[in-house]
Amino acid sequence: MSAGYIDELHETFHSDLVYRSEDIPLDCTPKPKEMEQTLHGVMKLNGLVIRSLEEIAGRGANAVTYRAGKKFGHEVAKYFQKRENVEEALHELSDLLRGQYSFEVWKPEDKETFIIEENGETFIYLVFHDCIVRQTLRRNGLDQGGPLCQTLFGYVVGAIEEITGRKAKLEIVHTGPNACLKKLVLK
Amino acid sequence: MDIRVDKDACVGCGLCVKDCPMHVYELQNKVSVPVRPNNCMGCLSCHEICPAQALEHRGIYPARRHYIDIKVCEMLRKVI
């Protein structure tokens, strides 16, 4: 390795910027466009972590990722206002997930209300449109509905439990390239 | 939701009928027909699975696609 290259490296990582401890960064740097390589790197890494976890832990991987997601959901949602009304809670949840996931409350045309009661279960259909998990899986050529999806499940369940104080469960009904249908079962 | 099936292209394989969780399609005279388009939630599984690329959805929300590699697309554009 030539000294010229080392000098060049030093030059790259040197600036005249004065950084004080009280300086609060208000913007992401660099700009999102320049973050593409980072985003793809993170997606690739996440995919490989999940693939390896599945290889080693088998079906146990789902439990690990679900648990991690649930903790994350509880952690994030504890700063949000508590709501007893499920509809308001879902509205709160969509604010919470903005930027990472976007979803809508959905019903088949033969159902009259969005809150459906069937076979002794009360549930709501949620259609997830934008989903960082789906992007990651497709980036890595992995199947949808596996352990990485469980992180989203845990996240939503944790957040709903935190906001409403009710126990909940999320089930996959269908996964697709553009949207996924989930069933939020309320207990 | 407005779903259109190219009747000339459809091979009547019935994959969209089997795959759709909301039973949007039915096979009629060996051609797929969207009989319950209002039940479609826009997952586009049918697009991915259709071997004849005979389907068209209008009024759909396209999900963000972060997984498309801009550099690969730029290269493809140069080639195409």
Side-chain angles (χ1 to χ4, degrees), chain A residues 57-150:
Chain A
R59 285 176 63 85
N62 286 351
V64 174
T65 49
Y66 178 78
R67 182 85 177 164
K70 199 170 170 183
K71 278 191 175 176
F72 191 29
H74 275 288
E75 186 65 31
V76 175
K78 71 181 176 192
Y79 302 109
F80 277 68
Q81 200 175 344
K82 305 290 172 255
R83 310 267 188 189
E84 279 187 18
N85 182 297
V86 177
E87 200 179 315
E88 286 176 3
L90 286 171
H91 191 253
E92 201 82 18
L93 182 68
S94 74
D95 281 345
L96 197 71
L97 299 177
R98 183 157 298 150
Q100 302 165 59
Y101 310 97
S102 71
F103 70 87
E104 66 172 327
V105 179
W106 186 84
K107 68 174 182 64
E109 63 178 346
D110 60 328
K111 302 289 178 202
E112 285 178 4
T113 56
F114 287 103
I115 299 178
I116 301 165
E117 288 188 20
E118 220 172 65
N119 305 325
E121 262 186 352
T122 307
F123 61 88
I124 301 166
Y125 281 123
L126 301 176
V127 174
F128 279 80
H129 293 287
D130 298 312
C131 174
I132 190 68
V133 168
R134 194 187 314 127
Q135 306 298 322
T136 303
L137 293 171
R138 294 184 80 80
R139 174 71 179 81
N140 289 284
L142 295 170
D143 288 341
Q144 288 172 249
L148 201 54
C149 283
Q150 295 292 330

Side-chain angles (χ1 to χ4, degrees), chain A residues 33 36-37 39-40 43 99 106 108-109 127 129-130 132 134-135 138-139 174-179 181, chain B residues 19 21-22 36 38-45 48 60-71:
Chain A
K33 172 81 179 148
E36 201 207 349
Q37 292 301 326
L39 172 70
H40 279 252
M43 284 161 82
W106 186 84
E109 63 178 346
V127 174
H129 293 287
D130 298 312
I132 190 68
R134 194 187 314 127
Q135 306 298 322
R138 294 184 80 80
R139 174 71 179 81
H174 185 73
T175 57
N178 196 56
L181 182 64
Chain B
D19 193 51
M22 289 298 143
R36 294 177 202 88
N38 291 335
N39 264 0
C40 177
M41 35 113 185
C43 72
L44 299 187
S45 285
E48 203 162 61
I60 205 159
Y61 172 82
R64 293 181 197 178
R65 289 177 186 175
H66 300 309
Y67 62 89
I68 305 294
D69 195 319
I70 294 175
K71 282 188 178 168

